[in-house]
Amino acid sequence: MNLMTIVVLSACILLTLIQLGSLLLVRWRLHQPLRQSTTALPFITLARPVCGLDCFDEATLRSSFVQNYPHYEILFCVASPRDPIIPVIKRLMVEFPQQQAQLLIGDMHATTNPKINNLMKATQHSQAEWLVMADSNLLLPPDYLRVLLASATDKTALVSSPAIGIMAENLWGAVEAAMLNTHQARWQFNSDVIGKGFAQGKTLCWRREVLEQHGGLIALGAELAEDVASTKMARNAGLQVTLPPRPFCQPIGRRSFTAVWQRQLRWARIRRFGFFWLFIPEILLGALPALLGSLWLVQQEVIPALVPVMLMALWYGAEWALAYSAGWPHRARDVLAMMIRDLLLPALWLWCWAGRSFTWRGNVLSSALNAPQMNEE
């Protein structure tokens, strides 16, 4: 057996062990009990940046009003007074008059990040001890605020969480969910287990004192994405990004290939410029490297022809088992979506190097504007 064969065989074994080990670690992590808070529940501001109309807005925004939490306010932030979401928000505020809520309209061009500019109004209208920024397409469970607060420790700067894709209405919607669920959420939880938790912009629950001491929301606009800036801010403060025991759901609906590709390319470029050295090994993620390696070994007559088939059955069977045990989408279509996702991952990684910008809600953002440092911290 020559050196090349040994290297390829070892790589296939290592990648498979990483796949299985990371899935088992997340399964263990998801079954950890929620820590019970022994302190008094503080007043919380729940800020939801909203822009345009999406299919599930009625449900996701309504979930803001039914929180099982005694002391909180809702601040809906809208940039344009002509935004079609405004009547929906006003209708919900009438439906729940007992809940303290405000609609804040206007835009502040303080950073190159449109989402942060939209949220600036929230910090001016509240002095709550904790500021929770939740994207408008996130479906909040009734215990959302309680879970976030219970997940914080004395060393926590902010609590964040991945989003889990649900209610996909077509195959490309299922691919989007596969990207979120057993792929991105898995690696975010694994990072948390080893003490390197990082933020995801769907949920940013900030300890207000830490945020203000380190530049406030304006400082979060220093990167291409606020979650990258949040992670770096927490680490520079000597504190942690903490994850709750379970993630929260995002309805997906219908997606096109173009929508999935553009969204994933945007996130890939954000990771490339935000955490350069962590982005490099992403080319090895997904089943394709292990599959190609095993097929090469078959061609070299090192392993039987049945081994690649068995390897893929083990690879996706373990991923399906995680989705099943976690209650995430796990139908046959979802397994097919996992395979399509793994075919897209190397293409996304390669295409990520072809440009420095992306489009988000009609706004073109570029790393040249933000000039992020390419380092791990």
Side-chain angles (χ1 to χ4, degrees), residues 152-166:
T153 69
D154 291 341
K155 296 182 178 180
T156 298
L158 75 151
V159 182
S160 188
S161 175
I164 294 300
I166 60 171

Side-chain angles (χ1 to χ4, degrees), residues 313-330:
L314 176 63
W315 192 282
Y316 290 110
E319 194 166 333
W320 177 89
L322 171 62
Y324 174 81
S325 67
W328 302 342
H330 55 273

Side-chain angles (χ1 to χ4, degrees), residues 28-302:
W28 168 82
R29 176 66 170 75
L30 291 173
H31 287 81
Q32 295 302 296
L34 178 66
R35 182 172 53 252
Q36 298 299 316
S37 177
T38 58
T39 60
L41 295 175
F43 182 71
I44 292 179
T45 292
L46 173 59
R48 306 207 70 172
V50 190
C51 179
L53 278 172
D54 290 319
C55 294
F56 299 98
D57 279 339
E58 186 87 20
T60 58
L61 297 182
R62 176 177 278 107
S63 67
S64 310
F65 291 89
V66 293
Q67 291 297 300
N68 181 21
Y69 194 89
H71 315 294
Y72 77 103
E73 66 175 348
I74 310 167
L75 300 180
F76 294 105
C77 298
V78 181
S80 171
R82 297 180 298 277
D83 197 303
I85 193 61
I86 291 176
V88 177
I89 296 173
K90 289 182 175 180
R91 185 166 64 249
L92 289 171
M93 291 171 65
V94 172
E95 184 178 341
F96 296 93
Q98 73 284 359
Q99 174 57 51
Q100 184 178 345
Q102 294 185 66
L103 171 60
L104 307 178
I105 302 174
D107 201 12
M108 298 179 62
H109 298 282
T111 76
T112 57
N113 185 321
K115 179 177 171 182
I116 291 297
N117 292 341
N118 192 16
L119 282 165
M120 286 289 183
K121 304 181 290 292
T123 57
Q124 296 176 348
H125 282 76
S126 173
Q127 294 300 318
E129 184 178 343
W130 287 86
L131 174 63
V132 180
M133 295 175 279
D135 278 3
S136 60
N137 58 4
L138 199 63
L139 188 64
L140 313 183
D143 62 350
Y144 176 74
L145 295 178
R146 285 183 178 270
V147 167
L148 293 178
L149 263 292
S151 302
T153 69
D154 291 341
K155 296 182 178 180
T156 298
L158 75 151
V159 182
S160 188
S161 175
I164 294 300
I166 60 171
M167 301 170 63
E169 296 177 357
N170 64 347
L171 177 59
W172 288 112
V175 172
E176 180 89 330
M179 288 282 190
L180 292 172
N181 301 356
T182 49
H183 180 62
Q184 293 172 2
R186 183 212 321 188
W187 294 112
Q188 188 170 0
F189 275 118
N190 273 276
S191 297
D192 183 64
V193 169
I194 64 174
K196 284 289 187 178
F198 58 87
Q200 212 271 16
K202 291 293 176 184
T203 289
L204 295 175
C205 174
W206 269 102
R207 194 185 297 273
R208 182 67 171 272
E209 180 182 14
V210 175
L211 178 62
E212 297 298 338
Q213 286 178 352
H214 292 83
L217 285 186
I218 290 181
L220 299 188
E223 298 279 347
L224 279 175
E226 66 282 351
D227 39 20
V228 172
S230 294
T231 301
K232 293 183 178 182
M233 183 185 291
R235 293 178 183 177
N236 290 338
L239 298 171
Q240 298 174 344
V241 178
T242 305
L243 271 63
R246 67 173 191 272
F248 306 109
C249 293
Q250 174 190 341
I252 298 295
R254 298 188 67 83
R255 290 285 193 271
S256 65
F257 164 76
T258 301
V260 174
W261 175 268
Q262 290 179 345
R263 183 175 289 105
Q264 296 303 322
L265 182 63
R266 167 165 61 91
W267 289 344
R269 284 183 174 156
I270 286 170
R271 295 193 301 275
R272 173 191 164 194
F273 291 106
F275 300 98
F276 182 78
W277 295 111
L278 294 179
F279 174 75
I280 296 297
E282 284 192 20
I283 187 63
L284 299 176
L285 296 180
L288 194 58
L291 176 60
L292 292 177
S294 65
L295 291 173
W296 185 86
L297 292 170
V298 169
Q299 193 271 335
Q300 298 297 311
E301 299 182 349
V302 176

